[in-house]
Amino acid sequence: MLGAALRPGLRRFTVTARQLPLLIAYGLTGFLLVPMLYFVAIARLPVGVALLFEYTAPLFVALWARFGQRHRVRPRLWAGLLLCLAGLACVAEVWGALSLDGLGVAAALGAAVLLAAYFVLGAQGVTDRDTVSLTGWAFGVSAVAGLLFRLLGGAAPDWSALAGHTAGGTPLWLLVAYLLVLGTIVPYLLIAGSLRHLPATSVGILGMIEPVLAAGVAFVTLGELLNPAQLAGGALLLTGVALAETARVPVAAVIEPVPLGQNEARAVAPERDRLSVTR
């Protein structure tokens, strides 16, 4: 609907055969498989532990940039990533009643690898498409794949629960709409938009601030207090983000991102010629 309302309308969703494989991979990784594996992980692991595994995704992105694309990185990038993981571990308090399930760990690590792939694919996708069309195609791919997955499993979608209400009387459909718009569509649009201006490594690292921000929101809205270990973890994470972000320098060659609605096929330089690299 958003894509149809904004100029140039539905024309922005025009796709070429060359673009289709990336769009399918982008939609399947970040929009379907990452959330699916995350829910498997938190069903078998403490939430904090599952998040710690999943947020190793920026490390995989950095490893891809270093060894897959042969980019040199400054040593402080790795130090920053380690500080981020240590800080996240403190915020999540992973040492409390630690119990690891093999399938849960595999699902969480799988989510981390696919999340890294989602960042890398997204950085490549924004060189050919605008943010709205890229995200719209990804949602369409994931919706179709998710429906086929349910049908092949013999379980058709059941929408009857949406007619219910919470204990406080709030309609469930309203909560679902809130999660769909502000908890799903808007964040995915913002991530795709950020990849037009930042390298995938930076987007992944900045995303690690999410647990700290969530703890702050919980403190303000729910009155949940942070203990000294969690406060120290937040400081470590923010320090790690700053350290990792200062490890990159801009390159001379920059490709302008595709203006909104201009998705015609064109020859572009490799992704990292457009983005900043770490070295």
Side-chain angles (χ1 to χ4, degrees):
M1 293 175 61
L2 179 64
L6 297 175
R7 294 181 61 186
L10 294 177
R11 285 184 299 164
R12 69 165 27 90
F13 295 105
T14 302
V15 64
T16 66
R18 181 183 64 85
Q19 295 170 336
L20 197 56
L22 184 141
L23 293 173
I24 293 175
Y26 182 67
L28 291 179
T29 53
F31 291 67
L32 178 68
L33 296 177
V34 169
M36 184 183 298
L37 290 176
Y38 171 71
F39 285 121
V40 172
I42 62 175
R44 294 176 171 270
L45 296 173
V47 174
V49 176
L51 281 174
L52 181 60
F53 279 115
E54 183 176 356
Y55 276 98
T56 58
L59 178 61
F60 290 113
V61 177
L63 289 172
W64 169 252
R66 174 63 183 88
F67 299 105
Q69 298 179 316
R70 305 295 182 183
H71 292 152
R72 291 182 299 169
V73 298
R74 291 175 176 173
R76 67 182 183 214
L77 172 68
W78 310 113
L81 284 170
L82 289 177
L83 279 178
C84 289
L85 292 175
L88 182 60
C90 292
V91 172
E93 293 186 303
V94 296
W95 52 79
L98 185 60
S99 177
L100 296 180
D101 175 86
L103 182 58
V105 171
L109 286 176
V113 173
L114 290 173
L115 182 59
Y118 160 71
F119 288 135
V120 173
L121 290 170
Q124 184 177 350
V126 294
T127 63
D128 275 339
R129 308 193 67 82
D130 68 81
T131 300
V132 174
S133 71
L134 179 65
T135 306
W137 263 100
F139 271 120
V141 169
S142 64
V144 171
L147 179 61
L148 290 176
F149 182 81
R150 291 293 301 272
L151 293 177
L152 291 176
D158 181 11
W159 309 104
S160 60
L162 296 179
H165 294 75
T166 66
T170 303
L172 289 180
W173 67 264
L174 184 61
L175 294 178
V176 171
Y178 170 82
L179 291 175
L180 179 64
V181 176
L182 296 181
T184 307
I185 296 176
V186 172
Y188 275 114
L189 283 172
L190 291 175
I191 291 174
S194 67
L195 287 169
R196 293 164 66 91
H197 306 285
L198 294 172
T201 305
S202 293
V203 175
I205 291 172
L206 291 172
M208 297 176 78
I209 303 175
E210 178 186 345
V212 177
L213 294 178
V217 171
F219 170 74
V220 173
T221 60
L222 302 176
E224 295 183 0
L225 299 178
L226 298 177
N227 59 39
Q230 290 174 313
L231 291 173
L236 278 176
L237 198 152
L238 294 176
T239 302
V241 169
L243 189 63
E245 278 302 283
T246 57
R248 64 184 180 89
V249 294
V251 294
V254 176
I255 295 178
E256 293 296 328
V258 179
L260 192 64
Q262 296 183 11
N263 298 316
E264 65 273 10
R266 59 195 181 113
V268 296
E271 165 197 351
R272 290 300 169 195
D273 290 341
R274 179 186 61 84
L275 301 170
S276 300
V277 298
T278 54
R279 60 181 177 181

